[in-house]
């Protein structure tokens, strides 16, 4: 059996957070670890936590230490929890308590068929949910699945995940519960039973859609299972010429796209849309276009019913319906763009609010006046999205003139940015500078400052403009930005003066990271000021407590030591003694980090 790398208490502390280490140490002392065992380079065990059933732990090692770890507890993702700490401490302090055994796969392979049968029956008796897996394993590829029975089993698997886990880990549990069904579909597909495979994939997609929001799928586990099933359907579509099966697959893919639109466009239908575009024939695209028309008609009927029911409602729901209609309109135009005549295409684009499609087709037809009329009704944001279309048709100037009319009406900054870029590109530098400074004061930032500087330098007006900008920034107390500007200009003295004026009364406004940037820039020319900034930050980190803060503080004091040795030899020891007397003497963890850094 391969040797495991040596492990120390310090290694275990570094693996996790301090609070988990302390709790894990308590768990180890309370003998909560059950059946610790080693399989090659992997440690396994159970740990009795706060729940009736123990948690399952696993730690895998590589040559240099811990490669990965997992725990079935709610916070066990990545294996940084107290339960894994308890297992690691068991290995550090009591390696003789860890038994050695062959890998589970090898053990199972060596069992007789009779023993395996008894084992499976015993496991099913203890855990009735496992009967579902046995049933699935015995089905494919020998007989076609019963759709209703399969639907019931999938539903049961999802309910099991909801019932047995908390809401944060439920999506991962659900994805794991569904994995055997995906495997079932794959088994059918591997044996050429594409219709049966399609049944399985379609039922899985339907179930995930029905329960998606119950799981609050923040981790994306269920989304990935849905995408897996969609990809599998794409493979089926690529491998079959049977019209009925292709229509069945395309219908499901289409429904995924529409479902994603109904959810506000989360990207869950992107892969399905790609498969449709890549593989659907012209006749199939026409058919799906009819499905899209039906979906649009249904939404129009629903909207009219809602309008009648709630005449005095706000516009929020209408905005949502408008987005749905535009998304469906774009889908329809994309599906049937090669079969629609120009007027029908334009009509659909207008009715569904697909402005970019409408303008692009009008410009393709050399109908500039109509395209500009359509653009006049666009929002500032939409106008920016239309700019590349006009520019592709060499009509950027026409849209530019239209957009200029909006400058007096508090336009969106993205529209101002486009007008600035247009003016810069066409050497209209007076307008470009005016718009650049306007943008700068809309959202002061270093990038906006650089843009104004670039234009002003081309006009030989930078000294004048810079003075005005800096004076106003000082009046507004924007010393953070002034500090960044001075650093960008290489003016370290000005940066030191500005950073000293940053309000440090709250942690939020202290500008710690910015101060460290200034300190680093000041090391060569202003070493004493750099030392003071490093010392202030280092002491602040120590005062905040925590091993991570101690480690950062030690790194900063390494810089302090180096600067003292370069510029004030013999002073460092006094500085370190004072720091030890003030803080480090009562903080063993901080002492440990300073020792690792070679400072103690």
């Amino acid at each position: 059996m391969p040797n495991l790398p040596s492990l120390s208490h310090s290694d275990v502390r570094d693996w996790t957070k301090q609070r988990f280490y302390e709790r894990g140490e308590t768990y180890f002392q309370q003998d909560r670890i059950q059946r610790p065992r080693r399989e090659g380079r992997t440690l396994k065990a159970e740990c009795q936590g706060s729940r009736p059933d123990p948690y399952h732990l696993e730690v895998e090692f590589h040559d240099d230490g811990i490669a990965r770890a997992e725990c079935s507890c709610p916070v066990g993702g990545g294996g940084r929890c107290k339960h894994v700490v308890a297992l690691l401490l068991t290995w550090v302090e009591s390696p003789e308590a860890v038994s050695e055994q062959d890998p589970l796969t090898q053990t199972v392979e060596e069992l007789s068929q009779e023993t395996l049968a008894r084992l499976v029956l015993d496991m099913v008796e203890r855990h009735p949910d496992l009967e579902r897996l046995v049933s699935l394993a015995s089905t494919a590829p020998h007989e076609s699945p019963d759709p209703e029975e399969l639907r019931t089993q999938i539903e049961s698997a999802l309910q099991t995940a909801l019932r047995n886990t908390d809401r944060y880990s439920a999506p991962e549990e659900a994805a794991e519960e569904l994995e055997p069904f995906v495997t079932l579909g794959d088994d059918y597909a591997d044996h050429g039973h594409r219709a049966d495979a399609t049944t399985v994939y379609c039922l899985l997609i339907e179930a995930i859609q029905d329960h998606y929001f119950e799981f609050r799928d923040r981790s994306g586990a269920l989304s990935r299972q849905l995408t897996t099933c969609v990809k599998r359907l794409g493979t089926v579509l690529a491998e079959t010429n049977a019209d009925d099966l292709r229509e069945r697959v395309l219908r499901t893919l289409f429904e995924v796209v529409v479902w994603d639109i109904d959810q506000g466009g989360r990207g869950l239908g992107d892969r399905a849309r790609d498969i449709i575009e890549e593989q659907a024939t012209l006749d199939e695209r026409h058919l799906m276009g009819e499905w899209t028309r039906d979906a649009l008609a249904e939404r129009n009927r629903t909207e009219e019913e809602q309008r009648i029911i709630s005449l005095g409602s706000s516009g929020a729901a209408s905005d949502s319906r408008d987005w749905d209609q535009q998304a469906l309109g774009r889908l329809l135009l994309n599906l049937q763009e090669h079969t629609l005549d120009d007027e029908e295409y334009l009509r659909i684009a207008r009715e569904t609010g697909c402005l970019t499609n409408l303008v692009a087709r009008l410009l393709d037809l050399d109908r500039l006046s109509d395209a500009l009329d359509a653009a006049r009704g666009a929002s500032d944001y939409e106008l920016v999205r239309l700019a590349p279309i006009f520019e592709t048709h060499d009509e950027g100037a026409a849209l530019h003139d239209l957009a200029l009319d909006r400058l007096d009406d508090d336009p969106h900054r993205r529209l101002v940015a486009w007008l600035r870029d247009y003016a810069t590109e066409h050497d209209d530098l007076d307008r470009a500078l005016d718009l650049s400074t306007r943008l700068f004061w809309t959202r002061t930032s270093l990038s906006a400052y650089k843009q104004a500087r670039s234009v002003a330098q081309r006009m030989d007006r930078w000294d004048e403009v810079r003075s005005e900008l800096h004076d106003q920034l000082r009046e507004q107390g924007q010393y953070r930005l002034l500090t960044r500007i001075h650093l960008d200009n290489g003016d370290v003295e000005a940066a030191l003066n500005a950073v000293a004026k940053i309000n440090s009364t709250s942690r939020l406004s202290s500008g710690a990271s910015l101060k460290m940037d200034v300190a680093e820039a000041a090391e060569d020319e202003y070493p004493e000021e750099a030392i003071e900034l490093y010392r202030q930050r280092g002491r602040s980190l120590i005062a905040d407590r925590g091993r991570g803060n101690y480690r950062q503080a030690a790194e900063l004091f390494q810089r302090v030591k180096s600067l003292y040795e370069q510029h004030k030899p013999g002073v460092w020891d006094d500085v370190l003694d004072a720091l030890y007397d003030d803080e480090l003497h009562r903080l063993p963890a901080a002492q440990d980090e300073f020792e690792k850094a070679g400072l103690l």
Side-chain angles (χ1 to χ4, degrees), residues 413 439-449 473 476 478 481:
R413 66 184 310 274
L439 280 169
F440 177 76
W441 293 116
T442 300
R443 183 178 297 175
T444 52
S445 67
L446 181 58
S447 61
Y449 177 90
L473 287 172
Q476 296 176 9
Q478 296 205 42
L481 180 55

Side-chain angles (χ1 to χ4, degrees), residues 179-190:
E179 190 61 37
F181 296 97
V182 178
T183 301
L184 175 67
D186 294 345
D187 287 343
Y188 280 125
D190 290 342

Side-chain angles (χ1 to χ4, degrees), residues 50-321:
S50 56
R51 297 184 178 183
D53 295 329
Y55 298 115
H56 299 278
L57 326 174
E58 185 171 310
V59 180
E60 183 180 331
F61 293 85
H62 52 45
D63 290 341
D64 299 323
I66 303 169
R68 66 168 191 86
E70 290 294 335
C71 177
S72 60
C73 74
V75 296
R80 312 278 176 168
C81 63
K82 58 190 176 186
H83 312 106
V84 168
V85 169
L87 174 58
L88 291 171
L89 290 176
T90 300
W91 176 250
V92 172
E93 296 200 12
S94 306
E96 70 282 356
V98 180
S99 63
E100 294 186 1
Q101 64 180 40
D102 294 328
L104 181 60
T105 53
Q106 179 180 338
T107 302
V108 171
E109 288 171 356
E110 293 174 354
L111 294 176
S112 67
Q113 185 173 353
E114 181 181 354
T115 302
L116 278 173
R118 286 200 308 269
L119 180 61
V120 169
L121 291 173
D122 183 52
M123 292 172 65
V124 171
E125 184 177 351
R126 296 186 183 187
H127 305 282
D129 285 343
L130 293 178
E131 185 175 354
R132 180 170 63 245
L133 300 182
V134 177
S135 175
L136 291 176
S138 64
T139 300
H142 311 295
E143 57 184 81
S144 295
D146 181 330
E148 290 308 314
E149 180 181 348
L150 190 57
R151 181 180 283 108
T152 300
Q153 291 178 336
I154 293 172
E155 180 73 22
S156 175
L158 291 173
Q159 292 303 322
T160 297
L162 282 171
R163 183 173 60 252
N164 293 345
T165 54
D166 63 86
R167 63 191 180 95
Y168 294 105
S169 55
E172 287 81 3
E173 181 72 17
E176 187 173 335
E177 290 282 345
L178 294 181
E179 190 61 37
F181 296 97
V182 178
T183 301
L184 175 67
D186 294 345
D187 287 343
Y188 280 125
D190 290 342
H191 288 81
H193 304 311
R194 298 188 184 93
D196 292 333
T198 298
T199 296
V200 178
Y201 300 141
C202 289
L203 287 173
L204 281 167
I205 289 171
E206 178 185 319
I208 293 172
Q209 289 174 328
D210 289 344
H211 294 281
Y212 186 78
F213 287 98
E214 293 178 55
F215 284 92
R216 301 181 182 181
D217 188 33
R218 295 184 179 91
S219 67
L222 274 179
S223 300
R224 288 190 290 273
Q225 282 290 33
L226 183 141
T227 301
T228 294
C229 293
V230 165
K231 290 178 179 178
R232 300 291 201 275
L233 288 179
T235 301
V236 171
L237 193 65
E239 294 176 349
T240 184
N241 293 318
D243 291 341
D244 56 342
L245 182 56
R246 287 183 64 85
E247 182 174 338
R248 185 178 168 198
V249 170
L250 287 169
R251 184 76 206 196
T252 299
L253 296 175
F254 174 80
E255 293 295 344
V256 170
V257 174
V258 174
W259 174 75
D260 184 45
I261 290 172
D262 290 340
Q263 311 316 315
R266 296 167 176 261
L268 299 173
D270 290 353
R271 187 66 189 115
R273 184 182 288 104
D274 291 342
I275 293 171
I276 289 171
E277 292 181 359
E278 292 165 5
Q279 299 193 42
T281 66
L282 280 177
D283 288 342
E284 290 167 343
R285 291 169 75 93
H286 179 78
L287 174 63
M288 285 185 284
E290 295 306 311
W291 296 343
T292 309
R293 291 175 190 269
D294 291 341
L296 279 166
E298 178 61 29
R299 277 161 175 73
N300 288 336
R301 283 193 295 271
T302 302
E303 182 176 356
E304 180 61 21
E305 291 170 0
Q306 291 298 320
R307 188 188 67 80
I308 294 172
I309 292 171
S310 53
L311 289 175
S313 63
S314 68
S318 178
D319 291 341
S320 174
R321 287 193 296 270

Side-chain angles (χ1 to χ4, degrees), residues 479-551:
Y479 290 104
R480 284 174 181 270
L481 180 55
L482 277 169
T483 301
R484 293 190 180 95
I485 288 171
H486 294 318
L487 284 177
D488 184 68
N489 291 335
D491 191 342
V492 179
E493 182 179 6
L496 284 165
N497 291 332
V499 81
K501 296 177 181 178
I502 293 177
N503 180 7
S504 59
T505 58
S506 72
R507 194 169 298 179
L508 180 64
S509 62
S510 64
S513 176
L514 182 58
K515 290 180 179 180
M516 294 304 92
D517 291 340
V518 174
E520 185 173 354
E523 285 186 4
D524 293 334
E525 195 173 353
Y526 301 93
E528 291 187 16
E529 287 81 355
I531 287 171
E532 185 57 27
L533 287 170
Y534 286 140
R535 287 179 60 182
Q536 289 176 4
R537 179 57 180 159
R539 283 183 170 269
S540 176
L541 286 166
I542 293 171
D544 286 343
R545 302 293 188 260
R547 185 166 287 273
N549 288 332
Y550 298 150
R551 186 179 300 116

